[in-house]
């Protein structure tokens, strides 16, 4: 799911930014500087106005290969003051420029050190090829310029994905009298894969959030971590890595997630935040946590308890199993788990990881049940069957957590309704996780059998449009589908589509 934005400079003159925002743009980048001397006369006004209308804003520098790179970087830093939520600086390489890699790296590294953000490198594929596909530049986010008519951009050799794609330089946008350069931001959400996701997972982990394995697969673990990160910076919790969330994620960590990078982890180790998030009360999990607790000093557990409870002094110890049971993804809980992780010797953490992973996976995940509930009769019957095996007190507590209420009410909730109105809210996820711990493995196994007996609904075209990302196999599938549809039906569809 991509979102559109624009780039402006002095060439666009005065911009009606209210009209631009109303036209559906998500972000805007305005040129700030050029070379070592040039400052765009419209920059100051545009910079303030973009923020005022609620768009994600960014600033660009036009690089000149014959001018000292350090002087150019200094000019940009003197002109632009970045704030939380602003895009990283954009380095624009024009088609007629031919800078050396060392010169580019001098600017990029200077800006990165000063702003604590990895600058975005905006360039044509031809330039990348001309400088022989340098690996040294691949660590910077790519803004590819490709104005072909293809549905996805043509990327340089060695580059597998893009964050921004400038697809045109003659777009007409409400609020701007001249033609303007337009682009897409490659938003990531559940189901996405690749280097972009892997980069985001690393950033989330560095900030103390638990995206699961750093494997480039945007799964439920990664989505939960994105939601927690969004909550920590007061953004809407949609679980999607759009330009606003990405801009915050690319900035230096703030005090909200002020934890040290988990440098002690190895590929065979584990994150304690993930343990809290996905504890299912399986006996082997409980045994592993109790084993870990016995390896730690009482004063370490006491300090962890103080941080967990947000208390000024240590008052009482805490059982790690209880911390996992009542984990809700709050910032202080994340920070407490990450602090504890830093106190554990790598060898003990490795052994704990082995014990934890020896636990068999749950038969079925109730969050997945809610997520993929489609209203099928067999699904509703399975949920009603499960509800009959849960105590009334447990259903009342589940309802309290589901509704995010501070105290219990006398009103339980039907599991079918909880699945039908599932929105992916963190408190809803926590309620389902809590409920799963109250159900025996035998009951979960039988529920899973009944649930999976439900025949799937056919794919809906509206969902295809919603989750289309321009991937080659998606494009091929749509072309195949079009070939199967009679032309008369397709023409009528086109008429209705265009209004």
């Amino acid at each position: 799911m991509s979102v559109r934005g624009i780039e402006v400079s002095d060439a666009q003159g005065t911009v009606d930014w209210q009209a631009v925002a109303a036209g559906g743009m998500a972000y805007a980048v305005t040129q700030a500087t050029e070379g070592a001397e040039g400052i765009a006369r419209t920059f100051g006004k545009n910079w303030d106005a973009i923020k005022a209308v609620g768009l994600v804003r960014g600033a660009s520098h036009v690089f000149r290969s014959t001018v000292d790179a350090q002087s150019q970087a200094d000019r940009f830093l003197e002109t632009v003051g970045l704030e939380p939520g602003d895009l990283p600086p954009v380095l624009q390489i024009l088609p007629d420029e031919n800078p050396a890699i060392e010169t580019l790296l001098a600017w990029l590294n200077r800006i990165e050190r000063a702003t604590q953000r990895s600058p975005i490198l905006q360039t044509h594929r031809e330039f990348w090829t001309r400088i022989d596909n340098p690996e040294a530049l691949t660590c910077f986010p790519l803004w590819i310029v490709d104005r072909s008519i293809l549905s996805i951009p043509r990327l340089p050799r060695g580059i597998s994905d893009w964050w921004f794609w400038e697809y045109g330089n003659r777009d007409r946008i409400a609020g701007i009298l001249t033609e303007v350069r337009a682009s897409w931001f490659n938003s990531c959400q559940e189901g996405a894969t690749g280097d972009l996701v892997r980069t985001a997972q690393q950033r989330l982990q560095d900030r103390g959030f638990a995206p699961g394995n750093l494997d480039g697969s945007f799964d439920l673990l990664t989505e939960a971590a994105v939601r927690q990160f969004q909550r920590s910076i007061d953004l809407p919790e949609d679980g999607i890595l759009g330009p606003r969330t990405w801009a915050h994620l690319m900035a230096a960590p703030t005090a909200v997630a002020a934890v040290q990078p988990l440098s002690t982890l190895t590929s065979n180790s584990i994150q304690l935040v993930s343990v809290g998030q996905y504890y299912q009360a399986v006996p082997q999990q409980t045994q592993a946590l109790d084993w870990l607790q016995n390896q730690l000093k009482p004063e370490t557990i006491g300090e962890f308890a103080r941080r967990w409870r947000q208390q000024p002094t240590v008052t009482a110890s805490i059982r790690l199993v209880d911390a996992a049971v009542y984990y809700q993804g709050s910032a202080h809980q994340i920070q407490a788990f990450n602090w504890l992780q830093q106190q554990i010797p790598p060898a003990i953490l490795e052994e704990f990881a082995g014990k934890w992973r020896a636990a068999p996976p749950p038969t079925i995940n109730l969050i997945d049940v809610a997520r993929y509930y489609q209203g099928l009769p067999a699904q509703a019957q399975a949920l009603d069957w499960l509800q009959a095996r849960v105590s009334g007190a447990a259903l009342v507590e589940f309802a309290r957590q589901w509704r995010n209420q501070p105290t219990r009410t006398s009103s339980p909730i039907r599991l079918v309704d909880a699945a039908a109105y599932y929105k992916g809210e963190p408190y809803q996820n926590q309620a389902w996780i809590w409920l799963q711990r109250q159900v025996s493995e035998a009951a979960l196994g039988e529920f899973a059998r009944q649930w999976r007996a439900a025949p799937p609904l056919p794919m809906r075209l509206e969902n295809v449009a919603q989750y289309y990302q321009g991937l080659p196999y998606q494009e091929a599938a749509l072309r195949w589908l079009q070939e199967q549809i009679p032309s008369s039906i397709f023409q009528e569809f086109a008429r209705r589509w265009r209004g």
Side-chain angles (χ1 to χ4, degrees):
M1 183 187 72
S2 299
V3 293
R4 290 178 71 202
I6 60 172
E7 303 166 67
V8 298
S9 65
D10 288 346
Q12 276 66 53
T14 300
V15 177
D16 181 349
W17 286 107
Q18 289 284 1
V20 171
M25 297 299 108
Y27 61 91
V29 173
T30 180
Q31 182 185 331
T33 53
E34 178 177 345
E37 301 294 336
I39 299 177
R41 56 179 175 78
T42 55
F43 169 71
K45 186 175 182 179
N46 285 339
W47 185 245
D48 293 339
I50 294 170
K51 179 181 179 180
V53 299
L55 298 181
V56 181
R57 67 180 180 178
S60 66
H61 173 79
V62 177
F63 194 82
R64 293 302 180 188
S65 53
T66 58
V67 180
D68 178 67
Q70 295 288 346
S71 299
Q72 295 189 66
D74 290 341
R75 172 58 71 187
F76 181 87
L77 294 171
E78 293 165 358
T79 305
V80 181
L82 295 177
E83 298 178 2
D86 292 337
L87 293 172
V90 180
L91 180 61
Q92 184 181 353
I93 311 298
L94 299 179
D96 57 350
E97 291 292 326
N98 192 28
I101 297 175
E102 295 76 13
T103 306
L104 289 177
L105 286 173
W107 191 95
L108 293 166
N109 291 333
R110 170 82 173 92
I111 294 295
E112 185 170 32
R113 287 193 301 270
T115 66
Q116 293 297 294
R117 311 177 198 212
S118 295
I120 302 168
L121 184 59
Q122 184 189 69
T123 181
H124 295 71
R125 185 181 67 155
E126 292 74 16
F127 166 76
W128 204 272
T129 303
R130 193 164 66 241
I131 59 176
D132 198 26
N133 305 287
E135 185 177 350
L137 298 179
T138 59
C139 61
F140 298 99
L142 176 63
W143 188 319
I144 188 69
V145 180
D146 182 20
R147 297 171 187 147
S148 65
I149 61 173
L150 300 177
S151 59
I152 56 176
R154 298 169 297 174
L155 297 175
R157 179 167 53 86
I159 302 296
S160 62
D161 226 328
W162 50 277
W163 281 113
F164 295 84
W165 169 26
E166 182 185 313
Y167 64 86
N169 61 348
R170 296 183 176 180
D171 270 36
R172 290 288 185 175
I173 303 295
I176 302 178
L177 298 179
T178 65
E179 295 175 334
V180 67
R181 291 182 292 159
S183 58
W184 293 104
F185 175 83
N186 197 3
S187 298
C188 295
Q189 60 188 52
E190 190 199 352
T193 59
D195 290 340
L196 302 189
V197 177
R198 188 176 294 105
T199 299
Q201 289 171 329
Q202 183 65 65
R203 288 274 178 171
L204 287 164
Q205 178 175 288
D206 289 346
R207 286 172 169 269
F209 300 91
N213 294 328
L214 307 184
D215 56 3
S217 177
F218 201 118
D219 54 15
L220 288 174
L221 291 176
T222 302
E223 181 183 281
V226 171
R227 288 180 181 274
Q228 290 177 352
F229 173 67
Q230 290 170 328
R231 185 197 317 166
S232 74
I233 54 176
D234 296 324
L235 290 183
E237 296 177 38
D238 59 8
I240 297 174
L241 196 62
R244 192 176 302 278
T245 301
W246 183 79
H248 281 280
L249 191 61
M250 294 297 288
T254 63
V256 174
V259 295
Q260 297 178 356
L262 303 180
S263 56
T264 60
L265 290 179
T266 70
S267 60
N268 295 321
S269 197
I270 194 169
Q271 295 182 61
L272 294 186
V273 170
S274 296
V275 170
Q277 191 171 10
Y278 295 99
Y279 176 72
Q280 299 288 344
V282 176
Q284 290 92 332
Q285 292 179 337
T286 301
Q287 293 168 10
L289 282 168
D290 285 342
W291 176 89
L292 178 62
Q293 182 143 0
N294 290 333
Q295 313 308 308
L296 303 179
K297 297 178 180 179
E299 52 266 31
T300 300
I301 295 295
E303 176 60 19
F304 168 72
R306 184 192 70 78
R307 293 169 180 256
W308 175 267
R309 296 173 177 138
Q310 290 186 295
Q311 295 174 330
T313 58
V314 177
T315 58
S317 185
I318 190 172
R319 189 182 175 199
L320 294 183
V321 169
D322 293 334
V325 168
Y326 295 103
Y327 175 79
Q328 295 189 2
S330 61
H332 71 276
Q333 291 175 337
I334 292 172
Q335 292 170 5
F337 265 131
N338 279 291
W339 176 86
L340 180 62
Q341 180 136 1
Q342 300 297 322
Q343 317 309 311
I344 302 175
I348 292 179
L349 201 59
E350 293 273 347
E351 188 169 351
F352 167 70
K355 294 177 180 293
W356 173 266
R357 290 174 179 142
T363 307
I364 194 169
N365 192 321
L366 292 186
I367 291 179
D368 290 338
V369 168
R371 188 178 189 85
Y372 298 109
Y373 178 72
Q374 296 176 310
L376 299 176
Q379 291 178 334
Q381 291 170 10
L383 283 167
D384 285 341
W385 180 91
L386 179 64
Q387 179 148 353
R389 276 129 188 99
V390 180
S391 69
L395 288 173
V396 170
E397 173 59 19
F398 170 72
R400 183 194 70 79
Q401 295 190 29
W402 170 264
R403 295 170 177 142
N404 203 25
Q405 295 173 329
T407 58
R408 291 189 184 185
T409 67
S410 59
S411 174
I413 190 171
R414 189 180 174 205
L415 296 186
V416 167
D417 294 333
Y421 294 102
Y422 174 76
K423 300 294 185 183
E425 298 290 348
Y427 57 84
Q428 293 176 334
N429 289 337
Q430 189 62 38
W432 283 113
I433 291 172
W434 181 88
L435 180 64
Q436 181 145 349
R437 294 168 182 160
Q438 318 309 310
V439 183
S440 69
E441 284 296 312
L444 276 177
E446 174 58 22
F447 167 72
R449 186 194 66 77
Q450 295 187 28
W451 172 266
R452 290 168 179 148
L457 287 175
M459 180 177 287
R460 300 172 65 89
L461 289 183
E462 59 203 71
N463 297 136
V464 170
Q466 182 180 2
Y467 296 108
Y468 178 72
Q469 293 183 314
L471 299 173
Y473 63 83
Q474 293 176 330
E475 186 174 350
L478 287 171
R479 287 176 177 170
W480 177 88
L481 178 62
Q482 184 165 345
E483 293 171 356
Q484 316 308 312
I485 301 175
S487 59
S488 59
I489 294 178
F490 195 79
Q491 289 171 2
E492 176 60 19
F493 168 75
R495 184 191 67 80
R496 294 168 181 251
W497 172 265
R498 294 172 179 141

